[in-house]
Amino acid sequence: MSMADLLVIITDVLLRTVFVMYFPRSFLNFTPVCSTNFAIAFAATLISVWFTVAFTLDRFVAICYQNVKAKYCTERTATVIMGIVTVFSCLISVPWYFTRDPEYNMDNIPWGCVFKQAFFNLTSWALFELLMLSLMVWFPFFLLLLVNSLTARHILMSGLVRRGLRGRYTGDNDPEMENRRKSVVLLFCISGSFLLLWITEVIYILSERVFGTPYVKGSEFESVALMLQVLSTCTNTAIYVLTQNKFREQMKSAVRYPIYLIVKLVKN
């Protein structure tokens, strides 16, 4: 998940936006390079989104189906699923390369990338974009919401059983119950953040399709939509990782260690 998110930052933020904006004469502005990076950025985003879904499904099986956890929640299974997601995302993102035309020609060299007019006129491209939007937003959000709801229900029901077994008056001070309540909040934060950060991009794309006008390059709404969409690829990883006790302890140790060395050096 972290590597997929890093790939999104490199391709979508650095190569496709920052470098192109501040280094307009670099090789990244050649139309073939620009078109390739455009397709890779979509593939990286798709990989990042579905890695989050796969991780959520893995946690769902591990929490709700303890009897099959040892069989399916393994490193080998995770490797196979990541491989399938990566190959599928790369293959289905290839058509994005053919949606771009040169912005202008200089010395018979194509520069820049703009959407082809056919991209807005042909029904086939509209259906392709709808498919990609469904794979990036609607299907993942539905699965995240469904799986997290089932996981939360399992946690709550298990909590009620545990409280009944421990006694009516001990449940309020039960640290296990507190951890489960935090898990429920965490699961819905993931689904909510995913929807909120993608909704602007969805509105932007749908509005452009409804009004039949080309994408407004450099518009403020487009910039905000892109910023939130890119941000969505890393929030879930941060939420998952930062809420793990072991990770927090390791981070505290990493912060304290340089201070410890400085103090030791001063004392010596």
Side-chain angles (χ1 to χ4, degrees):
M1 287 171 60
S2 300
M3 290 301 298
D5 295 340
L6 179 61
L7 185 60
V8 173
I9 299 300
I10 293 174
T11 58
D12 207 345
V13 178
L14 296 179
L15 298 182
R16 194 164 75 94
T17 304
V18 176
F19 287 173
V20 170
M21 181 181 298
Y22 291 100
F23 303 97
R25 298 300 181 185
S26 70
F27 75 97
L28 294 174
N29 267 314
F30 292 160
T31 300
V33 177
C34 178
S35 300
T36 301
N37 188 59
F38 186 72
I40 293 175
F42 269 92
T45 303
L46 200 59
I47 292 171
S48 174
V49 169
W50 281 97
F51 274 8
T52 302
V53 174
F55 182 81
T56 305
L57 289 171
D58 179 81
R59 293 300 86 202
F60 168 70
V61 173
I63 293 173
C64 300
Y65 297 95
Q66 295 287 333
N67 56 330
V68 297
K69 175 182 177 181
K71 183 177 181 180
Y72 292 103
C73 298
T74 62
E75 183 177 349
R76 181 177 182 275
T77 302
T79 302
V80 171
I81 292 176
M82 288 190 296
I84 293 173
V85 169
T86 301
V87 172
F88 175 77
S89 300
C90 292
L91 291 177
I92 202 171
S93 298
V94 169
W96 283 114
Y97 176 88
F98 303 100
T99 63
R100 312 291 275 188
D101 268 342
E103 190 172 2
Y104 58 92
N105 285 276
M106 181 181 295
D107 298 329
N108 293 325
I109 298 176
W111 287 82
C113 286
V114 294
F115 278 103
K116 296 179 178 180
Q117 191 61 38
F119 181 74
F120 304 101
N121 298 332
L122 296 180
T123 305
S124 57
W125 282 121
L127 293 175
F128 171 74
E129 188 176 25
L130 179 61
L131 172 63
M132 293 297 295
L133 192 63
S134 299
L135 290 175
M136 283 187 176
V137 185
W138 302 124
F139 290 162
F141 174 73
F142 174 76
L143 288 175
L144 285 175
L145 185 60
L146 175 63
V147 172
N148 287 341
S149 298
L150 293 174
T151 306
R153 179 179 178 275
H154 177 83
I155 292 174
L156 293 175
M157 294 300 294
S158 300
L160 292 176
V161 174
R162 180 183 176 86
R163 180 176 298 180
L165 293 174
R166 288 175 59 89
R168 184 171 55 185
Y169 300 104
T170 60
D172 293 337
N173 298 321
D174 188 357
E176 180 65 22
M177 290 295 298
E178 184 63 27
N179 290 334
R180 293 184 179 188
R181 281 193 288 268
K182 290 180 180 179
S183 298
V184 173
V185 174
L186 169 63
L187 293 175
F188 282 101
C189 283
I190 292 168
S191 301
S193 66
F194 182 84
L195 178 62
L196 291 175
L197 293 174
W198 267 98
I199 193 65
T200 309
E201 180 76 6
V202 172
I203 293 174
Y204 171 70
I205 295 175
L206 292 179
S207 63
E208 294 294 337
R209 281 297 182 184
V210 170
F211 292 107
T213 56
Y215 291 87
V216 182
K217 186 177 181 180
S219 66
E220 294 182 1
F221 191 78
E222 180 192 17
S223 300
V224 171
L226 178 61
M227 179 189 69
L228 294 177
Q229 176 253 305
V230 172
L231 182 62
S232 70
T233 61
C234 59
T235 52
N236 286 338
T237 300
I239 291 173
Y240 274 128
V241 174
L242 292 178
T243 52
Q244 303 301 313
N245 292 330
K246 290 183 179 180
F247 180 83
R248 291 201 302 269
E249 291 300 323
Q250 291 294 328
M251 180 175 288
K252 291 178 183 178
S253 300
V255 173
R256 287 196 297 259
Y257 187 70
I259 300 176
Y260 167 77
L261 291 180
I262 293 174
V263 172
K264 184 177 180 181
L265 181 63
V266 171
K267 288 183 178 180
N268 292 336

